[in-house]
Amino acid sequence: MDDALVLKKRGYTLGIRLGEGSYAKVKSAYSDRLKSNVAVKIINRRKAPVDFLERFLPRELEILAVLNNRYIVKTYEIFETSDGKVYMIMELGVQGDLLEFIKFRGALPEEVCRKMFRQLSLAVKYIHDLEIVHRDLKCENLLLNKDFNLKVSDFGFSRRCNYDDDGQLALSKTFCGSAAYAAPEVLQGIPYNAKVYDIWSMGVVLYIMLCGSMPYDDSNVKKMLRVQKEHRVDFPRGKHVPADCKDLLYRMLQPDVSKRIEIDDILDHPWLQPSKQKKDCESCSKSSSKIDTKGETKADSRNESRRGLRADTDDEFDSEVLDEGKAEKKGFKSHCTEPTPTRAAGNRRKSSQKVKETIEEGD
């Protein structure tokens, strides 16, 4: 049956296409019940690979059904038709994703980075407390709502944690995600602690927000891995990063998994404290160099630079922080990777930018 007709019968008016993969697509729609726009992820079981149908999809559906956090994209409804199509009605990131946001505006002010990263940290704290891991945290999977608050999306590689008889976390053996955000242990194909893997990916995200570029050049994975294992984190020339923020980055991008910082310690870190956010917001309101959010992000902005990226109520954005300023369209630095399609469900491209997906029983 036609997607538009199926959705119409359930009170949704189908809109534009947001992304498409080999066996899934994402479209916008208007919900008569919610009186707002939503995102609709449509998965065609007949085109999907067996391992996805037997393992990844059931996990994603089960996990989405239990998640309820202000910094995670809401799932309103999931249903399936007799012709093998799964429809997932989800919250729409009306301001696009973090990748688009940074590509369009360049590196973000420190106070904006702190606010967004605290929101990401609260979301990860929430899922880790539920013994759920994401395993694909990256800028493309972090959506922004109308107020530019961050929402974690795409739980296609997520899973519940398992523990052995001694209470030790069972290591993951599915090597998934994007190479640019992958921890050294994942790149090396070593069974890994998935919670610790999420922390590394968070470190990459924070670096991108602060610097407008990737921390490592993944055009040569072997070389990138060597740099990572040396615990080298270089910053763009002329870019000032406060010492406490550098400390947090170094502790997240720690190649020794036994020394990598945990999510509770991230939230307790001095750089991330709400009191510091408040001071930043006060200084930001006096500053004339604010980010302009009046102009909408262009749909084709991702293609303008082919070689780059571009809780509590206290954790929400003050509308003034992201208002009335100038923004330049900036591509990421030349050593960055080409942007991958955003919000494109099912698009697990086999390329040098992706970590090899090695599927083993029991993971």
Side-chain angles (χ1 to χ4, degrees), residues 213-242:
S213 62
M214 296 292 297
Y216 307 106
D217 178 6
D218 71 332
S219 63
N220 185 327
V221 175
K222 183 178 291 187
K223 181 179 178 181
M224 177 178 75
L225 181 59
R226 183 170 65 251
V227 172
Q228 291 175 344
K229 292 174 74 174
E230 292 173 356
H231 200 189
R232 284 169 47 194
V233 183
D234 299 323
F235 295 90
R237 183 176 301 175
K239 175 65 181 181
H240 172 69
V241 179

Side-chain angles (χ1 to χ4, degrees), residues 64-304:
L64 289 178
V66 302
L67 296 178
N68 182 21
N69 183 274
R70 70 174 68 185
Y71 302 125
I72 294 175
V73 168
K74 293 179 183 177
T75 301
Y76 298 115
E77 182 181 7
I78 300 174
F79 62 90
E80 188 169 353
T81 57
S82 58
D83 61 348
K85 285 188 177 180
V86 178
Y87 294 82
M88 303 161 67
I89 314 300
M90 312 179 82
E91 183 179 6
L92 180 67
V94 295
Q95 297 289 1
D97 61 46
L98 186 59
L99 181 76
E100 294 173 321
F101 187 70
I102 296 173
K103 180 178 177 181
F104 188 76
R105 293 166 174 83
L108 305 179
E110 184 187 354
E111 67 275 4
V112 176
C113 294
R114 181 180 293 106
K115 204 79 168 181
M116 286 186 174
F117 189 74
R118 182 169 176 81
Q119 293 172 352
L120 171 60
S121 299
L122 288 168
V124 172
K125 161 73 172 172
Y126 171 78
I127 65 172
H128 283 190
D129 283 352
L130 290 177
E131 300 299 341
I132 293 170
V133 287
H134 190 281
R135 301 196 298 181
D136 196 19
L137 292 172
K138 56 185 178 181
C139 292
E140 298 95 313
N141 289 340
L142 305 177
L143 306 186
L144 304 174
N145 71 2
K146 62 182 179 63
D147 297 316
F148 296 91
N149 291 302
L150 184 146
K151 305 269 186 172
V152 177
S153 71
D154 197 346
F155 284 77
F157 280 135
S158 64
R159 62 160 298 152
R160 287 190 177 275
C161 298
N162 295 320
Y163 291 85
D164 60 24
D165 294 336
D166 297 325
Q168 296 296 313
L169 179 67
L171 301 180
S172 289
K173 300 174 185 176
T174 300
F175 307 109
C176 51
S178 300
Y181 295 82
E185 63 271 20
V186 177
L187 293 174
Q188 294 175 91
I190 300 171
Y192 60 94
N193 179 326
K195 287 186 177 181
V196 176
Y197 175 20
D198 279 349
I199 300 300
W200 177 281
S201 300
M202 290 173 64
V204 176
V205 169
L206 178 56
Y207 183 101
I208 293 169
M209 288 195 290
L210 285 163
C211 301
S213 62
M214 296 292 297
Y216 307 106
D217 178 6
D218 71 332
S219 63
N220 185 327
V221 175
K222 183 178 291 187
K223 181 179 178 181
M224 177 178 75
L225 181 59
R226 183 170 65 251
V227 172
Q228 291 175 344
K229 292 174 74 174
E230 292 173 356
H231 200 189
R232 284 169 47 194
V233 183
D234 299 323
F235 295 90
R237 183 176 301 175
K239 175 65 181 181
H240 172 69
V241 179
D244 54 353
C245 184
K246 282 185 178 180
D247 176 73
L248 178 57
L249 279 167
Y250 282 130
R251 294 176 70 184
M252 286 189 289
L253 299 176
Q254 165 61 257
D256 186 338
V257 295
S258 66
K259 297 179 180 178
R260 196 173 301 162
I261 191 171
E262 297 181 356
I263 189 61
D264 287 332
D265 294 323
I266 290 175
L267 284 164
D268 288 339
H269 193 277
W271 183 76
L272 211 55
Q273 296 317 298
S275 59
K276 189 159 188 175
Q277 293 179 20
K278 200 165 190 178
K279 291 179 182 178
D280 283 337
C281 287
E282 289 172 356
S283 63
C284 180
S285 64
K286 299 175 183 179
S287 173
S288 61
S289 57
K290 300 172 186 174
I291 294 179
D292 178 15
T293 58
K294 291 184 177 179
E296 295 182 357
T297 301
K298 304 298 182 183
D300 62 349
S301 65
R302 283 165 288 175
N303 300 320
E304 293 185 7

Side-chain angles (χ1 to χ4, degrees), residues 25 41 55 140 215 220 314 324 330 332 335 356:
K25 54 191 173 184
K41 184 175 181 179
R55 302 175 63 202
E140 298 95 313
N220 185 327
D314 284 343
E324 297 180 357
K330 298 179 180 179
F332 274 32
H335 65 265
K356 181 180 178 183

